[in-house]
Amino acid sequence: MFLKKISLLTDKVPNLSKYPFSIPAIKGLEELEIRQNITFFVGENGSGKSTLLEGIASQIGFNKAGGSQNNRFEITDTVSSLGVYLRLSWLPKMSNGFFLRAETFYDFASHLEQLQKENPNIDVFKSYGGKSLHEQSHGESFLALFKNRFGQKGIYLLDEPEAALSPARQLALLKIIHDLEKEESSQFIIATHSPILLGYPNSTIFHFDNETGITEVKYEETEHFQLTKYFLNNRERMLHHLFLEPDECE
Ligand SMILES: Nc1ncnc2c1ncn2[C@@H]1O[C@H](COP(=O)(O)OP(=O)(O)O)[C@@H](O)[C@H]1O
Ligand SMILES: [Mg+2]
């Protein structure tokens, strides 16, 4: 494990009521202690998971659009200025790794194609399963990237990686994460809605909430676990209630 603590330099923030500090989870951040190799961010859409992940990525020096220190490409700038107000405490410092956002994966794939065009003598796709990521299905190319690129000791920041992956491939991702944790002591911080990924053993789950800020929760306490389990066990009853018209409510 490399990254031990994330602190918000509150004194330096010019305006706590402006984005990204207007997000309750960010405003109340103070210090987030990382105690395990695998850390998850969960919470409703808009609760600030991506904002914090991007801030961490930019402070490490990873391309905020997704990529490593070597992959510099620009996308439309939606990037927050949070990074400069974060202090990352390391032991030891690690700059190898990768930041992957499901949303910008397409741009990353295009960036690699461009690189290949400009450098015909280098096999750019070598670490990505041998062919352009655009020629592989989304799930395939995701796993190609995970398998080939995530082969080293490093810190990996993933934003909703499940978006492209079938349940079977989410399990495959769990195995890749497990191997990298055990063999290389790699560290992962993953924003996710997936009850499968969240099931990773010996991990920390931070729940982002507009009322309570960031709190640590157990797997079984997450809505992802509870709702999914209830749905799978009581699908008909749940759908019946869900589809009731207001005047039919019991
Ligand atoms: N560039 C921006 N300017 C202003 N508000 C933004 C910007 N980007 C995101 N937001 C807002 O910040 C909040 C947190 O967004 P985000 O970190 O993407 O949430 P999550 O990843 O948890 O779904 C949302 O309410 C979103 O609308
Ligand atoms: Mg997000």
Side-chain angles (χ1 to χ4, degrees):
M1 220 184 97
F2 314 106
L3 181 58
K4 305 273 191 219
K5 198 164 68 180
I6 301 155
S7 321
L8 180 66
L9 304 170
T10 316
D11 300 349
K12 298 211 169 138
V13 173
N15 187 346
L16 271 173
S17 59
K18 268 181 80 177
Y19 175 82
F21 306 102
S22 51
I23 302 168
I26 305 293
K27 189 186 290 178
L29 178 63
E30 293 183 11
E31 281 187 1
L32 200 60
E33 220 174 297
I34 311 281
R35 298 191 318 276
Q36 282 170 305
N37 285 330
I38 315 297
T39 305
F40 290 105
F41 291 170
V42 299
E44 266 315 317
N45 299 113
S47 58
K49 305 178 299 294
S50 296
T51 302
L52 184 55
L53 212 53
E54 270 175 22
I56 299 168
S58 78
Q59 234 355 32
I60 298 176
F62 293 162
N63 187 322
K64 283 179 266 190
S68 71
Q69 291 196 323
N70 301 324
N71 296 116
R72 301 250 167 246
F73 69 101
E74 301 299 326
I75 53 153
T76 331
D77 191 23
T78 56
V79 164
S80 74
S81 54
L82 178 62
V84 291
Y85 301 103
L86 294 178
R87 180 194 295 132
L88 304 183
S89 311
W90 300 89
L91 202 74
K93 170 88 172 96
M94 171 55 66
S95 51
N96 185 43
F98 208 89
F99 173 39
L100 188 63
R101 306 174 52 148
E103 309 149 29
T104 51
F105 190 68
Y106 183 88
D107 300 280
F108 183 68
S110 303
H111 163 71
L112 290 183
E113 285 204 339
Q114 190 60 32
L115 268 187
Q116 184 65 83
K117 259 189 217 147
E118 288 166 8
N119 304 282
N121 301 328
I122 308 170
D123 186 1
V124 172
F125 302 127
K126 195 167 157 226
S127 351
Y128 302 96
K131 56 180 175 177
S132 166
L133 297 178
H134 281 317
E135 291 167 22
Q136 308 176 35
S137 83
H138 201 187
E140 269 174 3
S141 52
F142 244 69
L143 274 198
L145 179 73
F146 289 138
K147 272 192 203 141
N148 300 291
R149 187 65 190 266
F150 292 15
Q152 303 165 6
K153 189 192 283 284
I155 177 161
Y156 297 101
L157 310 175
L158 312 180
D159 199 355
E160 297 188 26
E162 72 274 16
L165 301 174
S166 68
R169 285 187 170 149
Q170 292 183 41
L171 292 177
L173 176 58
L174 283 182
K175 168 76 170 132
I176 294 170
I177 294 173
H178 179 262
D179 291 350
L180 273 171
E181 185 193 5
K182 295 298 168 235
E183 288 159 22
E184 308 283 354
S185 308
S186 285
Q187 182 172 9
F188 286 81
I189 303 179
I190 305 171
T192 185
H193 296 296
S194 162
I196 296 181
L197 296 185
L198 284 174
Y200 193 91
N202 303 320
S203 55
T204 306
I205 304 177
F206 288 120
H207 178 237
F208 286 49
D209 185 275
N210 285 345
E211 304 286 320
T212 51
I214 303 177
T215 50
E216 188 176 335
V217 292
K218 291 201 184 78
Y219 179 54
E220 293 79 5
E221 291 169 345
T222 60
E223 192 181 56
H224 312 69
F225 172 84
Q226 291 179 2
L227 257 188
T228 309
K229 185 172 183 200
Y230 190 83
F231 183 81
L232 294 176
N233 288 334
N234 307 275
R235 182 163 65 100
E236 285 181 12
R237 180 147 37 118
M238 209 169 169
L239 290 177
H240 172 73
H241 280 279
L242 188 66
F243 297 160
L244 279 182
E245 296 297 330
D247 59 339
E248 293 173 327
C249 283
E250 289 133 42

